[in-house]
Amino acid sequence: MAGSRRKQWRAAVTCVLAGSLVALAGACGVVTTKEDRRAAEELADKHFPGRIKAIGARTLFPGTGGSEVTFAVADDRDAVVRLRIDADKGTCDGKDCAGALTEAVARGRSDAAAFRTLRDAFDACGYGVIALGPTGTPPYVVAELTNATVERVLADIGGCVQRWVTASGADSPLAKAKASYVNVVSPAVAGKRSRGKDSWPTMMRLTRSDLLGSLTKHAYYSASYDIADGQVDTAGRARAVRPFKESQAFGKTVQDAVREELRATYPNVVMSTYQWVWRLEPGRIDRQTGYLLFCPEAGERGRCDNSDDAVLVTADEHGNPVGKIRIVHDVREGTGALRLPPY
């Protein structure tokens, strides 16, 4: 097996030197998951006979080497088991494979149980979970946010979060957390999402990168809920999350406008590229507030670095300031951390 791998590696290097990473993954076909998957299946047959079944594999090349093999669990439709294995080295994620597989199965079952607690809490209050972040959180739900509905919907989802926290138990990491987050996508975006196959384990289907990509390539909202002693502030706060180009356009518009306004007081003002988190104003999705940093005078190379001055500004959804800006001084500890006032 080692000799075969060495031949494959030499061929892979030849492909790379030829300048074709695409060929490496496809036509050259020299880095495969076949040996890793076969070794993982043998391991599963030995330690979990009939209880887990390999359903997929992907190469980890050119990162750590080896492959990630995915298993379904026979008696748990939600659970997925992921094992990183390098058959050439005889290790799984750098550890003994038998122990690594046992840990992976336990982790897969535990994650599935935690998901069911989450799913049931949100189902009970009318917001079904359509996707999960790569680690199982945050959940993605569907709602149409407008100025007329945003406060009610955020409060409803906050109620779901409280159900989730309570059902998770007082000793759970969630109950002890300081906050939780829920991503909210529009019905139009949710309707066009990449759904995957119903036969796949739920935790595999809902955490797929192509599913998340189909949701986050459009603007959506991230709602945050503070948690203290297991009690959730169900009112919540939300921010708009935009695709990269939209975010850049928003930032440029608001920075250009604020720069022009600041020039009346600071003729040589330079804006920092840094932007603080923009949050929706209560009861509005077309008004959002955030901080911009600036320097009254340009620093080295004409830039604004380690700014100690900030502007709190409210803007519309395109980045046009609405109302008066507020200047805040002394916002940094020396050249270190920012200490922007809450808003």
Side-chain angles (χ1 to χ4, degrees), residues 304-321:
C304 176
D305 296 320
N306 295 319
S307 170
D308 199 27
D309 301 285
V311 174
L312 185 65
V313 57
T314 297
D316 66 17
E317 63 267 44
H318 304 295
N320 301 302

Side-chain angles (χ1 to χ4, degrees), residues 106-305:
R107 184 167 55 250
R109 288 187 177 278
S110 176
D111 290 347
F115 162 71
R116 286 187 285 271
T117 300
L118 164 63
R119 178 197 61 197
D120 293 349
F122 277 75
D123 282 350
C125 57
Y127 290 89
V129 175
I130 65 166
L132 299 165
T135 61
T137 55
Y140 288 72
V141 301
V142 183
E144 192 71 75
L145 296 188
T146 66
N147 286 348
T149 65
V150 60
E151 285 189 304
R152 175 184 59 78
V153 171
L154 289 180
D156 288 346
I157 294 174
C160 300
V161 175
Q162 182 64 74
R163 286 176 178 265
W164 179 25
V165 170
T166 301
S168 296
D171 293 329
S172 67
L174 176 63
K176 295 177 180 178
K178 294 182 178 180
S180 184
Y181 302 86
V182 180
N183 290 336
V184 184
V185 301
S186 71
V189 170
K192 297 177 182 178
R193 70 188 185 275
S194 173
R195 296 175 181 269
K197 297 181 180 179
D198 290 339
S199 60
W200 292 342
T202 309
M203 290 298 292
M204 174 181 173
R205 183 164 43 84
L206 296 189
T207 59
R208 293 177 358 264
S209 59
D210 60 333
L211 168 59
L212 298 179
S214 70
L215 297 175
T216 59
K217 71 179 181 181
H218 306 279
Y220 63 96
Y221 298 96
S222 176
S224 63
Y225 298 90
D226 292 336
I227 303 173
D229 299 323
Q231 296 301 306
V232 177
D233 178 1
T234 57
R237 297 289 300 271
R239 64 186 180 94
V241 183
R242 303 174 183 82
F244 179 75
K245 288 185 178 180
E246 289 183 30
S247 178
Q248 292 294 99
F250 176 91
K252 184 178 187 305
T253 299
V254 70
Q255 285 180 335
D256 288 349
V258 170
R259 180 190 297 109
E260 288 305 308
E261 189 164 349
L262 286 173
R263 277 180 176 160
T265 306
Y266 306 105
N268 299 317
V269 66
V270 177
M271 302 300 297
S272 169
T273 56
Y274 175 88
Q275 290 190 51
W276 195 241
V277 173
W278 291 84
R279 292 176 178 165
L280 299 183
E281 285 291 291
R284 304 291 294 264
I285 65 165
D286 58 351
R287 296 289 185 271
Q288 44 212 306
T289 299
Y291 278 107
L292 300 179
L293 301 182
F294 73 94
C295 294
E297 300 282 343
E300 294 182 10
R301 298 183 297 278
R303 301 192 315 187
C304 176
D305 296 320

Side-chain angles (χ1 to χ4, degrees), residues 37-70:
R37 177 166 177 163
R38 185 181 303 115
E41 288 177 323
E42 291 174 357
L43 194 69
D45 288 342
K46 179 178 180 180
H47 296 281
F48 293 91
R51 286 179 284 172
I52 60 175
K53 178 183 179 182
I55 56 173
R58 66 181 182 91
T59 182
L60 297 175
F61 178 88
T64 59
S67 307
E68 181 181 81
V69 181
T70 304

